Every structure is written in structure tokens, then in C-alpha cells.
Amino acid sequence: MTPKEVMKFAKENDVKVVDLRFMDFPGLWQHFTVPISELEESSFEDGFGFDGSSIRGWQPIHASDMLVVPDAATAQIDPFFEVPTLVLIGNIVDPITREAYSRDPRNIAKKAEAYLKSTGIGDVAYFGPEAEFFIFDDIRFASENHHAFYAIDSIEGIWNSGREECPNLGYKPRHKQGYFPVPPMDKLQDLRTEMLLTLEKLGIAVEAQHHEVATAGQAEIDMRFKPLVVMGDQLVWFKYVLKNVAYKYGHTVTFMPKPLYNDNGTGMHTHCSIWKGDQPLFAGDKYAGVSQEALYAIGGILKHCNALCAFTNPTTNSYKRLVPGFEAPVNLAYSSRNRSAAIRIPMYSPSPKAKRIEFRTPDPSCNGYMAFSAMLMAMLDGIENKMDPGEPLDKDIYGLPPEELAEIPSAPGSLEEALTSLKADQEFLMKGDVFTQDVIDMWIEYKTENEVNDVKLRPHPHEFFLYFDI
């Protein structure tokens, strides 16, 4: 839409208020609301002021004034608010210089798309994330100086097979056996379908919804691929819709990568491709039907994976999932069909238009704008520098003998290790001023001070089980 079309759209839908939304640095959607009388066509250039010092990882208090400038193309009617509400996603701008704010994640994504075009390699990069999640019935947690705990519950949790439910009817997925069972084992079909239909009402194309592997309501809803910035916008809508549909029915949704011990974690396998004009750059006559450029792009992701993980797996909890020898694809190899490799080349369709690579290491705790941008920059670096990914690995990686497995590099084992890798390997991100030095330094500082150190300093409940009586 154009600004004029947005004004007409608002009138046709009897809009009373406008909700202005943007992404903070770590990756949570923020908003504030103004009456519709405050929105004019000039607002799409002038923007709306707010306090940037109150946003995590942003401005110091002595330079707090910022602007959010709404993007007319993002206009939607919120599906949950009682009062008709127009939602506009905005870009963050310095009110004095009128320059786009370097720490605005959406601005980083826009710069990544611009850099792709400037290289001449392609015109558009498509991303299709498979963001898994859990639907729980109850969650309680606390982290104090003298006690810490968490408690999760779900009608589907196999741990409730012996609970008095008056009556307990069973049909609770066993650990690692939640993939695709029909009701009554799958108790969340209608809820996931409402999530799907709500996304479609917002114009977000969905390919499928289903139960996932873990017990206790693990699920997946797959969005159809879109260009980088559009998919960044869609991913924040995706999380918002799923959380609010679940909340409406007394459930809660989490994208935390590893909320359950001894069961599958939550990943975000991400399908990536680059096109130039109407031609898919990754289709060719090499291994598994990909092009040489696709192999170079794979080489770029494998080379930079440890640094990428600082953005694609950005929480301390991410590395409870990324443990060698378990379900997550931590081994830095590529293969066709083989889901135990960090990069898979899907073989569902022989069409050149369907040819893409699937990066399986990321998880949905990430800030999509920044994660997709970092992936694109790694792929472009691989193509520009002709990075050889080596030979594919079509064996079952988990069944390899130790001496052979030891030769395969692995993703980082902790957020601290990923951040250390980012310190050492960041030049590829800074091409075209996509990620600035300020952004990378602040990301490392924020994550270290607010997450790595906070977790490192606290006793773990299991340590009492192991060590209290020593």
C-alpha cells in the first residue's frame, strides 16, 4: 500500500487507533498506540517520537529521542484487539540526522538486501524458516539468590500418564514419539488450525501445520518462503499470532529452544535461495542438482557457522539443544536428504525453482531480521570468494565411528563460544555497512553482560543433586 491507500484502508475498516511496532535489539516486538486522528499521509515521512533509551541495547539516556517511521506496505488490522486497530511496522530514524538507526534490526535486513543487489550476484534472497514451538498449559519459574526452579505442565505430557484426571484417558505422546499422531493423541489440532487461519487472514501464506517430535505439545507451522525483509516482518507476526491464539484458550506458547530435558528441542530449519531476475541461482548440475554458486554459498555458511550462531542461536538455552551426539544438527557438513547434517539439500521436487539449501542449526529464539541477514552475508561471502564446502557427507553422522566423527567440525558448544567466534570472524558481516562495528560490539556486550554472565554466576538446580552431599 501507499500512504494514501493506508488512509483509505483505515477508513474502510473503521479504524480507531494505530499501533506502531518495531523490533528491539534482542528480538522482541515493541509497540505504542496513537489515535487515528494522529495519522496523516505526512506521518509516513515525519514519523512518531519515542524514548530510545528505554529499549534494550539502544540509545544512552542523554541521546534518547528517536523516531519510528511507519512503512505503509506493512499495514494490517490486528486480529486480537477489541477496538479496530491498524498495525504499522516502522523503521527507526535519528530525529536530528534523519539517518536510519544502525541498531534497528529491520534496517540491518534492508541493508543486507541492498548489498545483495550491489554485488550483482542476485536480486532477491528468499528465506523459509520452519519455526518450531511448544504449546504448554502451565509454566512457573523463579530465579532468586536463594532458590530457583521451573515447572512445566501439559495435558499431553507423558509425565502425566499416572495423574488423577477424573478420568485420565491416556493418549499422551511418549518422549520423542510426537511426530504426526492423529487425535486423540494429538490434542492441539484445532488450536494449530486457528493459528494457521489467523496467519492466512494477515496474508501470510502457510504450507502446513503439524505436531512435532516431542511430548507436551511441540508443534510446527511452516510459512511459505518470502524475501528477507518480508520474512523478517512475517516472523514477528508469526510469533505474535501463535502466542495470542494460545493465550485466548488458556495455553501458552514458547519458542525457547530447549524447555524439556531428555526430549527434542525446538529448531528453526531455514530454507535459503538466491534468485537473479527470474532465474534460481542455486539450481544446476552439481551434487544433488545444485549449482556451483550454491556449493560456494554452503561453503560460506560452513566457514562462518561459529560466528553465525551468535545471531542464529543467540541464547544460552540454544546450546542445550546444540549438543553433539543428540538430535540437533551440530556437525558442520552438508548432504542431500540427510537431516543429521548442518546443511541439507531438500530433494522433494525436481523443479529448478524449488532448489535451495536448508540451514538446520538455527533456532526460533533468534531475531529474524539479524539472523537472516547474517546467513545471507555468509552465503555471499562464500560465493564471492569461491569457498569450497568439501565433499558431501551422506552417511548417518550419528553412526560414525569416533575417529571419523572427530574429523567433522562442530557448531559452538555455548553462547560464550559463539560470541568469541563472532569477535574473531566479523568482516564478512560488515561488507556494505550491513552490520556496523557498533552493532556487533553492542551485541557481544549485551549478550555477555545480560545473559552469559547472569547464567554463569548462578548455581544450577541439578548441581544440588550432584554435589550437595560432598
Side-chain angles (χ1 to χ4, degrees), residues 108-119 121 125 127 228 274 296-297 299-301 304 308 311 369-385 387 425-436:
I108 293 170
K110 291 171 67 177
K111 289 191 291 183
E113 285 190 325
Y115 179 70
L116 167 64
K117 293 176 183 178
S118 75
T119 66
I121 291 171
F127 290 85
L228 194 161
I274 298 174
Y296 289 148
I301 290 179
H304 297 300
L308 282 180
F311 295 108
Y369 296 115
M370 297 173 79
F372 301 147
S373 298
M375 290 182 217
L376 176 58
M377 297 304 287
M379 289 191 292
L380 292 176
D381 194 50
I383 294 170
E384 289 174 314
N385 292 290
M387 293 179 182
D425 181 22
Q426 55 186 243
E427 289 184 9
F428 74 101
L429 295 167
M430 297 170 67
K431 292 180 180 179
D433 201 39
V434 175
F435 286 80
T436 63

Side-chain angles (χ1 to χ4, degrees), residues 90-113:
N91 300 307
I92 308 304
V93 171
D94 185 291
I96 298 174
T97 66
R98 302 295 301 187
E99 292 180 352
Y101 185 44
S102 64
R103 295 185 197 171
D104 174 12
R106 195 169 191 262
N107 178 44
I108 293 170
K110 291 171 67 177
K111 289 191 291 183
E113 285 190 325

Side-chain angles (χ1 to χ4, degrees), residues 9-53:
F9 176 71
K11 187 174 183 179
E12 291 172 346
N13 286 276
D14 195 28
V15 165
K16 304 298 184 185
V17 294
V18 181
D19 210 44
L20 298 155
R21 299 187 186 175
F22 57 92
M23 181 74 88
D24 74 3
F25 204 47
L28 284 180
W29 227 9
Q30 309 290 323
H31 80 132
F32 64 92
T33 306
V34 300
I36 187 62
S37 58
E38 291 294 305
L39 185 70
E40 303 174 351
E41 284 188 48
S42 60
S43 302
F44 295 90
E45 291 186 7
D46 297 340
F48 296 84
F50 71 99
D51 177 7
S53 68

Side-chain angles (χ1 to χ4, degrees), residues 7-305:
M7 302 302 293
K8 181 181 178 184
F9 176 71
K11 187 174 183 179
E12 291 172 346
N13 286 276
D14 195 28
V15 165
K16 304 298 184 185
V17 294
V18 181
D19 210 44
L20 298 155
R21 299 187 186 175
F22 57 92
M23 181 74 88
D24 74 3
F25 204 47
L28 284 180
W29 227 9
Q30 309 290 323
H31 80 132
F32 64 92
T33 306
V34 300
I36 187 62
S37 58
E38 291 294 305
L39 185 70
E40 303 174 351
E41 284 188 48
S42 60
S43 302
F44 295 90
E45 291 186 7
D46 297 340
F48 296 84
F50 71 99
D51 177 7
S53 68
S54 296
I55 304 301
R56 296 180 300 170
W58 277 15
Q59 291 291 88
I61 197 165
H62 66 273
S64 60
D65 290 353
M66 301 292 287
L67 292 174
V68 56
V69 179
D71 183 341
T74 67
Q76 296 278 12
I77 301 298
D78 189 279
F80 302 105
F81 293 158
E82 182 179 344
V83 173
T85 301
L86 176 69
V87 176
L88 293 167
I89 298 175
N91 300 307
I92 308 304
V93 171
D94 185 291
I96 298 174
T97 66
R98 302 295 301 187
E99 292 180 352
Y101 185 44
S102 64
R103 295 185 197 171
D104 174 12
R106 195 169 191 262
N107 178 44
I108 293 170
K110 291 171 67 177
K111 289 191 291 183
E113 285 190 325
Y115 179 70
L116 167 64
K117 293 176 183 178
S118 75
T119 66
I121 291 171
D123 303 319
V124 60
Y126 290 107
F127 290 85
E130 299 175 358
E132 298 168 348
F133 55 98
F134 275 91
I135 304 169
F136 294 136
D137 299 332
D138 188 67
I139 175 67
R140 292 174 293 121
F141 54 87
S143 181
E144 307 296 341
N145 66 341
H146 69 297
H147 79 109
F149 81 97
Y150 70 90
I152 294 167
D153 208 2
S154 165
I155 188 64
E156 281 198 355
I158 188 61
W159 58 83
N160 283 324
S161 60
R163 182 172 67 177
E164 191 66 52
E165 293 180 349
C166 302
N168 188 325
L169 301 178
Y171 300 114
K172 302 181 193 299
R174 299 173 186 87
H175 290 296
K176 301 183 182 295
Q177 294 185 28
Y179 199 63
F180 282 17
V182 296
M185 187 75 84
D186 178 1
K187 297 173 177 58
L188 299 165
Q189 169 71 13
D190 289 340
L191 187 67
R192 294 194 309 269
T193 294
E194 183 166 334
M195 293 169 174
L196 181 159
L197 294 176
T198 306
L199 290 167
E200 287 195 325
K201 285 180 183 177
L202 291 165
I204 297 173
V206 175
E207 295 181 338
Q209 64 93 340
H210 60 83
H211 205 291
E212 256 298 340
V213 173
T215 189
Q218 192 181 36
E220 180 174 313
I221 299 176
D222 297 333
M223 293 180 282
R224 184 170 292 278
F225 64 90
K226 290 292 179 181
L228 194 161
V229 172
V230 175
M231 184 51 75
D233 292 342
Q234 286 193 178
L235 186 58
V236 285
W237 268 114
F238 179 88
K239 291 183 176 182
Y240 176 78
V241 165
L242 270 56
K243 290 176 181 179
N244 278 280
V245 170
Y247 190 80
K248 185 167 105 175
Y249 293 101
H251 302 284
T252 186
V253 160
T254 181
F255 293 91
M256 187 175 174
K258 190 72 172 181
L260 294 183
Y261 166 66
N262 205 30
D263 212 332
N264 278 42
T266 290
M268 191 180 75
H269 309 148
T270 303
H271 298 254
C272 317
S273 64
I274 298 174
W275 285 54
K276 187 168 187 179
D278 59 354
Q279 295 301 311
L281 192 67
F282 284 0
D285 58 359
K286 303 296 182 183
Y287 172 79
V290 300
S291 65
Q292 184 62 61
E293 287 83 1
L295 291 175
Y296 289 148
I298 290 171
I301 290 179
L302 293 178
K303 175 180 172 58
H304 297 300
C305 184

